[in-house]
Amino acid sequence: TLSIPTAAYDIPAVLTLPNASGPAPAVLLIHGFGSDKNEVGNFYANLAQGLAEAGYATLRFDYPGSGDHGEGFEVNTIATYVR
């Protein structure tokens, strides 16, 4: 678990790395509005583990108003998404 600092707020995230050393391809897992960084039924948490076993790094995070994010959903705007 890590926190990604931004000018407006910190973004709670999880970085899952493969066991191999050196650079690895990466996948960004972006959840839907009704869920969080792990997705319904821990789908993304399980997917991240499977991708790590296949040699991929993954990063998943919580949007404001979701999961461990400290901000409310109302701060989600097009402007905050494209920063």
Side-chain angles (χ1 to χ4, degrees):
T1 303
L2 61 110
S3 183
I4 302 169
T6 72
Y9 45 71
D10 290 347
I11 302 170
V14 176
L15 178 64
T16 305
L17 299 171
N19 287 331
S21 62
V27 177
L28 182 60
L29 301 174
I30 302 171
H31 69 81
F33 289 121
S35 191
D36 64 21
K37 65 184 166 297
N38 294 319
E39 264 299 345
V40 175
N42 281 331
F43 178 72
Y44 277 0
N46 294 327
L47 178 60
Q49 197 59 38
L51 287 168
E53 291 169 7
Y56 292 85
T58 60
L59 180 68
R60 57 191 198 276
F61 63 92
D62 284 329
Y63 280 112
S66 301
D68 296 322
H69 204 292
E71 296 292 325
F73 188 78
E74 67 278 359
V75 303
N76 291 308
T77 65
I78 297 299
T80 60
Y81 283 169
V82 297
R83 283 189 212 167

